[in-house]
Amino acid sequence: MPAATYNFQIEQGSEHSITFIYQDANGNPIDLSAKCVVLRWLDSNGALATFSSATTASLENASGYSLTGNNLGEIVFQIAAAK
């Protein structure tokens, strides 16, 4: 079950960055620095894509995507501008 569902459109040619804050019930950040963060999305054709912070190093240069989690509970998803 997903923790959250978001829908948004990204204009082609624009860099895009989204930061999610992951906290416990008391509002304290959860340390994600040693964890694997996974993001799944549906593309415009309805195909499911999965991206993991564990594979960021190998995929970042090829795909233009970056997904990281840190000790402040921040999950940062970045998409490079398409050429």
Side-chain angles (χ1 to χ4, degrees):
M1 174 179 259
T5 300
Y6 296 92
N7 293 306
F8 53 89
Q9 293 187 2
I10 302 169
E11 183 177 335
Q12 186 173 356
S14 300
E15 290 188 355
H16 193 74
S17 179
I18 301 170
T19 302
F20 302 96
I21 306 298
Y22 195 59
Q23 301 173 330
D24 64 16
N26 296 319
N28 299 312
I30 296 174
D31 185 355
L32 300 171
S33 58
K35 306 287 191 283
C36 178
V37 179
V38 177
L39 178 67
R40 297 185 310 163
W41 68 88
L42 293 175
D43 68 16
S44 59
N45 296 319
L48 180 65
T50 301
F51 195 70
S52 164
S53 63
T55 58
T56 297
S58 61
L59 293 177
E60 186 173 346
N61 293 329
S63 68
Y65 296 107
S66 172
L67 179 65
T68 58
N70 63 30
N71 64 338
L72 301 175
E74 297 174 338
I75 299 169
V76 181
F77 179 56
Q78 295 177 315
I79 303 170
K83 296 181 180 179

